[in-house]
Amino acid sequence: MTPEEVGQRMVALLAPAEATPSVSGGQAHARATVDVPLAAWPDALRAARDDAELACDFFDWLSAVDELAGGFDVVAHLWSTTHRHGLLLRTRVPREAPAVASVVDVYPGAAWHERETHEMFGIDFPGHAGLAPLLLPPEFEGHPLRKEFVLASRVAKPWPGAKEPGESEAGGGRRPIRPPGVPAPGEWGTTPTPAGAGGAGEGPRGGVPARPARERPARPAPGARPARPAGPAAPGGAAPAEPTAAEAGPLPGAPGGRGAGTARSGPPADRPSREGPAATERADDGGTP
């Protein structure tokens, strides 16, 4: 059955009670929606369950909509597992004394939903034996899903959808809302945006944070060797001169130089030995006394 046919069938079952059919949603989500009188609410759900053409044997959900001065709309969604079609039944309850008969005897699964609707909207369901608090603590006062209920979090913190100070009531684009604790770019320094890059340049609406400049040491020229630290000063205040390659002699392992495994038996001839001149003379003679 199409949504239109489901709605017409529901109207025929409720006659002579006045019911108004319509279709909500679209395409695959289209549902037949039937507004029924308040007194015919239990009969409408029972007819939708017991009729062979509708056969709405599955109770999906029940809730309410706050229509302010118009009262509350109590809405129930039913589904047929046999014919694969859905049905929305809706009735209006007054705001002064919101009450509608319970349908727990028709659909036992509605017990939880009626408790939630009673707690969140303050709608009474005569015939329901257990309308105890479900989600809120016992000391909670009021009904949070009513539109006149003021949420404490909206008082303590501005609602993100509200207009910011300085914006016109006639419209205009909203400035992007920053996360809490993040300052605007203009409050902590900006640098100019490069030409052609995204952004608006300097100011509170563009730019990037300025970074402190860091001094780097100058690099030596290619081939230049850094100066070595000066050694201990020689007597008289003059630094000792480094020996040249000719004075230092060949390197170990080079032709004509000392091998890696050979060791010199004594101090060089031009350097005095710690044992005195006699030890120096013995080293020059090949170590013979």
Side-chain angles (χ1 to χ4, degrees), residues 115-277:
R115 287 178 60 188
E116 181 191 33
T117 305
H118 171 73
E119 187 175 32
M120 295 296 171
F121 291 92
I123 300 175
D124 191 19
F125 291 89
H128 195 296
L131 292 178
L134 180 66
L135 303 176
L136 302 175
E139 64 274 8
F140 191 90
E141 297 181 0
H143 308 287
L145 292 187
R146 288 193 175 192
K147 290 184 179 179
E148 75 269 10
F149 186 85
V150 180
L151 295 176
S153 60
R154 297 190 183 185
V155 177
K157 178 182 177 181
W159 190 245
K163 288 183 176 294
E164 297 183 8
E167 291 187 353
S168 172
E169 295 293 335
R174 293 189 178 97
R175 297 191 298 273
I177 301 176
R178 300 184 305 274
V182 178
E187 298 176 1
W188 62 307
T190 59
T191 57
T193 302
E202 292 184 340
R205 299 187 65 184
V208 295
R211 296 182 178 179
R214 295 183 299 176
E215 295 183 0
R216 296 182 178 179
R219 296 182 178 179
R225 299 176 60 184
R228 295 181 179 179
E242 295 184 0
T244 62
E247 297 174 351
L251 296 176
R258 299 190 304 271
T262 60
R264 207 167 174 181
S265 59
D270 55 348
R271 294 184 182 180
S273 174
R274 294 182 179 179
E275 299 179 0

Side-chain angles (χ1 to χ4, degrees), residues 4 12 22 34 38 42 51 59 63 89 122 125 159 164 185 189 192 204 234 280:
E4 291 79 7
S22 61
V34 181
L38 181 60
D51 182 68
F59 178 88
S63 188
L89 292 177
F125 291 89
W159 190 245
E164 297 183 8
T280 304

